Amino acid sequence: MDNPANTNSKNDPYASLRLPEFNYYLIIRFALVFALTMQFIVIEWKVNLLSNHDPFALGLIGLAEVIPAVLLAPFAGHIVDKREKRGILLKCVIAYVIIGSGLFFLTWDKAVEGYDTHHILMAIYGLVFCGGIIRAFVSPANFSLQALIVPRPLYANASTWASSAWQIGSMAGPALGGLLVYAIGVHWSMMLVVAIFLLPLFSLIMIKPKPVHYAAKGESFLEGLTKGMRFVWNTKVVLNAMALDMFAVLFGGAVAMLPVFATNVLHAGALEFGLLRSAVAVGSLITMFILAYKPLVHKPGIKLLAAVFGFGICIIIFGLSKNFYLSFLALLLSGTLDAISVIIRQTILQLKTPDEMRGRVAAVSSMFVGSSNELGAFESGFMARMMGLVPSVVFGGCITLGVVITTYIISPAMRKLDLKA
């Protein structure tokens, strides 16, 4: 077989898939986000029931995870750059298995029989908080490992597949979670989550340990800690891409309120709730197949802006809709457009980040982008309580449109972006 590094990735959409270790990496990336997002939606539905459909209680789930993830991100990125990435990921996955097992028992009615509902909620929030600690290390280790598996000429091609795997997992997890809550209940759904965590464990064993490229060169601990932040600040196209996605997800994160929308606005049950979640996954799947054959190399910055703008429109339509089918279509399109923005952003990070700084730059990304999902969930819950459910979602969509317009005006680097390796 020819060396994949010599393959023209522009003409071969499967170039990076010819690397055996990259296929295991895709399993890790997909299975982790699939299990975690499925876990989130299962716990979200349980909290929704325990709190008597309180939107603020749902928002607290995201806040409990995002606090440790953000606070520890700079330290985690620094540690990941200095140590072997595969080993860090292995420890993180084992920790996720332990946390998932704890949530499994907390959703078992017989195990928590006699305990006060408030105490059960606090225990759930506590385990979610522990998951946020682990997540601070997973994001930079995962991002860094990809560049150690794939040669640079295939970065763009690999980023398309890796981003698609992440995007599909992040959407299919909640979709399956919602359907399984209806079919087998919360408790057994959590058991399946724990089982899914075994897939990345096996895949990590099949990947060889990778070299560490970190070079301190006499820098102090504080300098090493903040180097990733300074790099992002000085590399405007990276900064703008992160900021665009962060604000869009932060204010357009209406999907976090989907359980309440399903019950209170659309008057739907668990089955319809699962179908609404699956709409976003289907949209992402469509994007993956299209972009594997049609890479976003022509004016990717403009396409990124257009995708996020369209995402904001979909959120507004979803917020205003009282029809199940229209809501489904809006979420379907939002998944398609969000996948485009994720793939472009990940390609930007892979191509623009030096090897010795990947952990720290990924940590910054997790602070300002990855955590925006949970902050968006909290913001949505808070605004829903302040403004009402529907007005808060429409407001968030309008803010997303404003962020895109502002970025287009102030960022010529984004408009002229070139992703050729």
Side-chain angles (χ1 to χ4, degrees):
M1 180 181 294
D2 294 335
N3 186 346
N6 297 327
T7 303
N8 188 339
S9 61
K10 182 177 180 180
N11 297 326
D12 183 6
Y14 308 107
S16 56
L17 296 183
R18 304 185 193 284
L19 296 165
E21 286 193 336
F22 182 68
N23 290 299
Y24 287 115
Y25 173 80
L26 288 182
I27 294 174
I28 296 167
R29 192 167 174 84
F30 172 83
L32 273 180
V33 71
F34 181 82
L36 290 172
T37 53
M38 180 178 169
Q39 175 179 283
F40 185 88
I41 202 64
V42 171
I43 295 304
E44 190 178 44
W45 187 259
K46 184 66 175 181
V47 169
N48 185 46
L49 297 177
L50 291 174
S51 65
N52 197 26
H53 312 297
D54 183 3
F56 188 69
L58 295 179
L60 287 177
I61 302 174
L63 187 64
E65 183 175 12
V66 79
I67 288 176
V70 169
L71 293 181
L72 292 177
F75 300 94
H78 186 67
I79 292 172
V80 166
D81 275 338
K82 294 176 65 177
R83 299 186 180 180
E84 202 276 312
K85 284 68 177 171
R86 171 186 168 275
I88 292 177
L89 268 180
L90 193 60
K91 294 180 178 67
C92 289
V93 175
I94 293 173
Y96 275 140
V97 171
I98 296 172
I99 293 171
S101 300
L103 291 172
F104 167 75
F105 283 105
L106 285 174
T107 57
W108 189 4
D109 290 338
K110 291 184 179 180
V112 297
E113 186 176 2
Y115 286 90
D116 183 78
T117 299
H118 175 74
H119 292 151
I120 297 174
L121 281 172
M122 290 301 102
I124 290 175
Y125 291 141
L127 286 178
V128 172
F129 183 90
C130 293
I133 296 175
I134 304 305
R135 175 180 150 180
F137 291 87
V138 168
S139 181
N142 204 341
F143 178 80
S144 301
L145 184 61
Q146 178 181 329
L148 296 173
I149 292 174
V150 180
R152 185 174 180 83
L154 300 184
Y155 277 3
N157 179 261
S159 292
T160 298
W161 286 107
S163 298
S164 297
W166 179 91
Q167 187 75 359
I168 294 172
S170 68
M171 300 307 174
L176 182 60
L179 293 173
L180 287 177
V181 164
Y182 170 79
I184 63 177
V186 171
H187 176 55
W188 298 112
S189 297
M190 272 305 308
M191 175 178 281
L192 181 58
V193 169
V194 176
I196 293 172
F197 278 126
L198 299 180
L199 285 175
L201 274 179
F202 170 78
S203 297
L204 281 166
I205 294 174
M206 302 303 294
I207 296 177
K208 296 179 181 178
K210 303 302 176 184
V212 177
H213 294 292
Y214 185 83
K217 296 181 179 179
E219 67 183 11
S220 66
F221 174 76
L222 182 60
E223 289 174 335
L225 203 64
T226 60
K227 196 171 184 179
M229 296 182 183
R230 286 184 275 117
F231 172 82
V232 170
W233 179 259
N234 293 326
T235 310
K236 297 306 179 185
V237 68
V238 173
L239 177 64
N240 291 333
M242 286 186 183
L244 177 66
D245 197 68
M246 178 187 72
F247 286 111
V249 175
L250 179 62
F251 292 104
V255 178
M257 295 296 105
L258 193 52
V260 185
F261 255 95
T263 55
N264 295 0
V265 177
L266 300 175
H267 307 292
L271 176 60
E272 290 82 3
F273 168 67
L275 290 174
L276 288 172
R277 278 289 188 178
S278 69
V280 187
V282 171
S284 297
L285 186 63
I286 293 172
T287 298
M288 184 198 74
F289 283 113
I290 293 175
L291 295 187
Y293 291 91
K294 299 288 185 180
L296 296 168
V297 295
H298 181 64
K299 296 184 178 180
I302 296 297
K303 291 177 180 176
L304 174 59
L305 292 168
V308 179
F309 190 88
F311 174 82
I313 295 292
C314 291
I315 295 302
I316 294 174
I317 294 174
F318 171 76
L320 294 174
S321 172
K322 290 181 172 59
N323 179 276
F324 172 81
Y325 298 102
L326 179 59
S327 298
F328 182 91
L329 179 60
L331 292 176
L332 176 75
L333 293 175
S334 74
T336 301
L337 295 167
D338 187 49
I340 293 174
S341 68
V342 168
I343 290 171
I344 295 176
R345 178 170 51 82
Q346 286 298 313
T347 303
I348 292 172
L349 290 178
Q350 287 290 352
L351 290 176
K352 303 294 183 181
T353 305
D355 289 337
E356 69 276 8
M357 292 177 56
R358 292 187 180 278
R360 283 165 288 183
V361 171
V364 176
S365 178
S366 69
M367 290 173 63
F368 293 101
V369 178
S371 299
S372 60
N373 289 290
E374 287 70 31
L375 284 176
F378 176 74
E379 181 271 341
S380 296
F382 179 78
M383 294 302 292
R385 174 172 286 188
M386 295 294 102
M387 302 174 60
L389 187 61
V390 172
S392 67
V393 172
V394 175
F395 173 77
C398 292
I399 292 294
T400 301
L401 300 184
V403 169
V404 175
I405 294 172
T406 302
T407 303
Y408 178 85
I409 294 173
I410 68 174
S411 179
M414 182 62 68
R415 298 195 302 268
K416 301 175 182 178
L417 176 63
D418 181 5
L419 290 182
K420 295 179 180 179

